[in-house]
Amino acid sequence: NDEMRHSQSDMMKASVVSLVGVGLLLFLGFRGFRHPLLAILTLIVAITWSFGYTTLTIGHLNIRSVSFAVILIGLGIDFAIHYLARYLDLRHNGESLEPALVSTSGSVGVGIVTAAVTTSFAFFCATFTRFLGIAELGIIVGGRILLCAAATFIVLPALLSLGDRNVKPQKLHSP
């Protein structure tokens, strides 16, 4: 119990540092604050969903599964980065908001879904081990990856619709 509490505390700190670090890199890479912030918010929603998913599928966290929160931040933000980069490219080329969102989902959607499913599949394969902690980890991380991809197509476009509805393409930052 003491190890679990200590591990959860340490991983919470590591997750916050990881999220802040990823956010800073996004701010530098996208040369602005609005779009990186929307990507981070999308990731936070996916992480929140993942706690519910973990509760429904496993019912608890173990020391190993707690440690993968940081990995989820690193893997989960990739989908939003690809989506944002394509969306901004389309907007800079003169597309209006809604057509750019539809075109972005259509053009990078296959790649994002393929990446999410293959990565998730690899983690789900851990369920074939005899060690319960590793099997649970495979279920948790595999599902969490899929939730990050789902948030990219559900939450991020909605946030972009709200955040960019009155912004002209010329005013958007270029990555």
Side-chain angles (χ1 to χ4, degrees):
N1 186 35
D2 288 341
E3 284 180 13
M4 185 61 176
R5 278 194 318 215
H6 186 67
S7 175
Q8 284 178 329
S9 172
D10 288 348
M11 287 315 301
M12 179 60 101
K13 291 174 192 169
S15 296
V16 168
V17 169
S18 176
L19 200 57
V20 169
V22 165
L24 288 173
L25 289 171
L26 286 175
F27 294 141
L28 292 172
F30 282 95
R31 293 196 256 171
F33 289 98
R34 183 174 57 253
H35 294 106
L37 185 60
L38 297 178
I40 295 293
L41 285 173
T42 301
L43 182 62
I44 289 171
V45 167
I47 290 170
T48 303
W49 289 352
S50 75
F51 288 127
Y53 166 77
T54 301
T55 301
L56 289 173
T57 56
I58 304 296
H60 64 278
L61 293 174
N62 60 40
I63 290 175
R64 281 171 208 79
S65 59
V66 167
S67 67
F68 273 80
V70 175
I71 290 174
L72 181 63
I73 291 169
L75 289 173
I77 198 67
D78 287 349
F79 307 133
I81 290 170
H82 292 293
Y83 194 97
L84 276 177
R86 180 65 180 148
Y87 164 77
L88 288 171
D89 183 48
L90 290 170
R91 288 298 307 271
H92 283 286
N93 288 324
E95 291 252 2
S96 57
L97 178 65
E98 287 184 25
L101 290 171
V102 171
S103 183
T104 298
S105 294
S107 62
V108 297
V110 173
I112 290 173
V113 169
T114 302
V117 169
T118 56
T119 304
S120 180
F121 176 76
F123 278 106
F124 280 134
C125 285
T127 62
F128 297 120
T129 65
R130 291 184 185 153
F131 185 55
L132 182 62
I134 299 297
E136 288 176 351
L137 176 68
I139 293 168
I140 292 169
V141 178
R144 286 179 168 186
I145 295 294
L146 294 175
L147 289 171
C148 285
T152 298
F153 294 109
I154 297 169
V155 177
L156 186 56
L159 292 174
L160 287 168
S161 291
L162 293 172
D164 286 355
R165 68 177 168 230
N166 296 321
V167 179
K168 296 182 187 218
Q170 301 84 4
K171 299 276 185 182
L172 296 172
H173 294 282
S174 296

